[in-house]
Amino acid sequence: MLLCIDCGNTNTVFALWRDGAFLSTWRIATQHQRTADEYYTWLTQLMDLRGIYGDITEVIISSTVPRVVFNLRVLCDRYFECRPSVVGRPDCRLPVPPRVEEGVRPGPDRLANAAGAFDRHGGDVVVVDFGTATNFDVVAEDGAYVGGVIAPGVNLSLEALHQGAAALPHVDVSRPPKVIGTNTVGCIQSGVFWGYIGLVDGILRRIRDEYGRPMRAIGTGGLAPLFATGETLFDTIEDDLTIHGLTVIQRYNKDTS
Ligand SMILES: Nc1ncnc2c1ncn2[C@@H]1O[C@H](COP(=O)(O)OP(=O)(O)OP(=O)(O)O)[C@@H](O)[C@H]1O
Ligand SMILES: CC(C)(CO)[C@@H](O)C(=O)NCCC(=O)O
Ligand SMILES: [K+]
């Protein structure tokens, strides 16, 4: 059984994959202080609850937070007796290497998104990932990650407004019924919701102009469905794209080892 671990700056997703399908996925806040023993007790309890038995024999990790990798390696070594593949490290090969400026280390989540998108759709794709950041990952015709855009995430923007303006409360993102807010919360929701619709629409348009060939757009990340309601921003929404990409990278490393 393969365990895929996708550590974002806010949340970490664990997903178990066997016989070509995900058995279950679980989410935990990303904290570098978490020990291998804590991960293990948490994970095995959830596996028990779901009635998932069998040994974890392989692990692949994507981490945008370098510090958490240490304890995840300990987890693999102590409890699963394996060495994890860590995306972005030299010994974890990618099906298609990225084409970026020399010395640039693209986020491993973006490399996984590219591998997942290419596997499902072929190239000429842009992935829009709504996580801590809202990032756009451009995948060329041959499947190479070639760059993109990093914008502040939706929840970060809301938090920044609350932090920076004494009279503005913390607000959760939602789609307001109107653009012209008639109370403070409505005004903030409008600014962030319609602001991001404009951001995504405008950046996708400019990416397509610059790229010069037709491109599919795939939405992923927790907030993608919210921004897709009633809009035609994305061709598809695939909330498992990053972890799917991890299975693709792992399979590639096994097949070519
Ligand atoms: N309908 C919703 N309304 C408000 N928040 C939502 C909704 N659906 C998901 N979220 C939140 O959106 C956030 C983005 O989800 P996602 O899992 O893609 O990113 P993340 O885990 O927060 O970021 P990262 O991957 O960078 O750690 C999450 O905090 C999630 O709880
Ligand atoms: C942009 C984020 C924060 C999105 O999770 C992550 O992919 C990251 O830390 N990237 C490193 C820089 C880069 O991708 O060019
Ligand atoms: K993510």
Side-chain angles (χ1 to χ4, degrees):
M1 190 157 47
L2 169 66
L3 171 63
C4 301
I5 307 178
D6 166 23
C7 302
N9 280 284
T10 311
N11 289 307
T12 295
V13 173
F14 281 64
L16 281 175
W17 195 78
R18 185 167 59 196
D19 301 331
F22 286 107
L23 301 176
S24 200
T25 66
W26 299 288
R27 192 173 271 272
I28 192 169
T30 301
Q31 278 175 13
H32 73 272
Q33 298 93 333
R34 239 181 260 287
T35 67
D37 306 327
E38 287 178 287
Y39 284 118
Y40 185 72
T41 44
W42 171 78
L43 183 65
T44 48
Q45 281 185 32
L46 289 169
M47 286 172 68
D48 277 353
L49 271 173
R50 286 293 303 263
I52 297 173
Y53 303 103
D55 288 340
I56 290 167
T57 51
E58 308 167 57
V59 181
I60 182 162
I61 299 169
S62 156
S63 181
T64 58
V65 184
R67 282 201 289 187
V68 303
V69 176
F70 178 81
N71 281 332
L72 290 172
R73 281 188 190 279
V74 177
L75 169 74
C76 296
D77 179 56
R78 186 174 298 166
Y79 292 104
F80 309 136
E81 288 164 24
C82 71
R83 260 174 60 92
S85 307
V86 181
V87 178
R89 301 291 162 89
D91 57 350
C92 176
R93 284 163 295 119
L94 297 166
V96 187
R99 271 196 303 281
V100 290
E101 287 170 27
E102 181 122 0
V104 169
R105 305 254 238 84
D109 53 339
R110 309 179 80 186
L111 298 173
N113 284 345
F118 185 60
D119 182 69
R120 283 186 177 159
H121 303 282
D124 296 334
V125 175
V126 53
V127 177
V128 186
D129 189 341
F130 295 87
T132 308
T134 300
N135 50 287
F136 297 65
D137 311 323
V138 176
V139 187
E141 187 191 11
D142 64 348
Y145 166 85
V146 292
V149 171
I150 300 172
V154 175
N155 287 328
L156 271 183
S157 304
L158 284 161
E159 195 50 34
L161 267 182
H162 170 55
Q163 292 290 329
L168 299 189
H170 175 80
V171 173
D172 288 327
V173 63
S174 70
R175 183 191 176 101
K178 299 182 300 174
V179 178
I180 304 171
T182 49
N183 57 54
T184 307
V185 167
C187 290
I188 296 172
Q189 279 172 339
S190 187
V192 171
F193 183 85
W194 298 114
Y196 272 85
I197 292 282
L199 180 150
V200 173
D201 189 46
I203 289 179
L204 282 177
R205 207 187 300 270
R206 283 166 191 272
I207 285 177
R208 286 190 165 110
D209 281 351
E210 200 171 285
Y211 191 76
R213 296 157 58 97
M215 299 178 98
R216 253 179 237 260
I218 305 172
T220 191
L223 292 170
L226 177 67
F227 286 97
T229 37
E231 307 291 324
T232 52
L233 298 174
F234 308 120
D235 294 280
T236 55
I237 294 193
E238 301 173 14
D239 60 0
D240 63 346
L241 191 67
T242 315
I243 50 173
H244 174 68
L246 291 180
T247 69
V248 171
I249 296 170
Q250 181 67 8
R251 194 171 58 212
Y252 176 77
N253 277 270
K254 276 185 82 175
D255 288 351
T256 59
S257 64

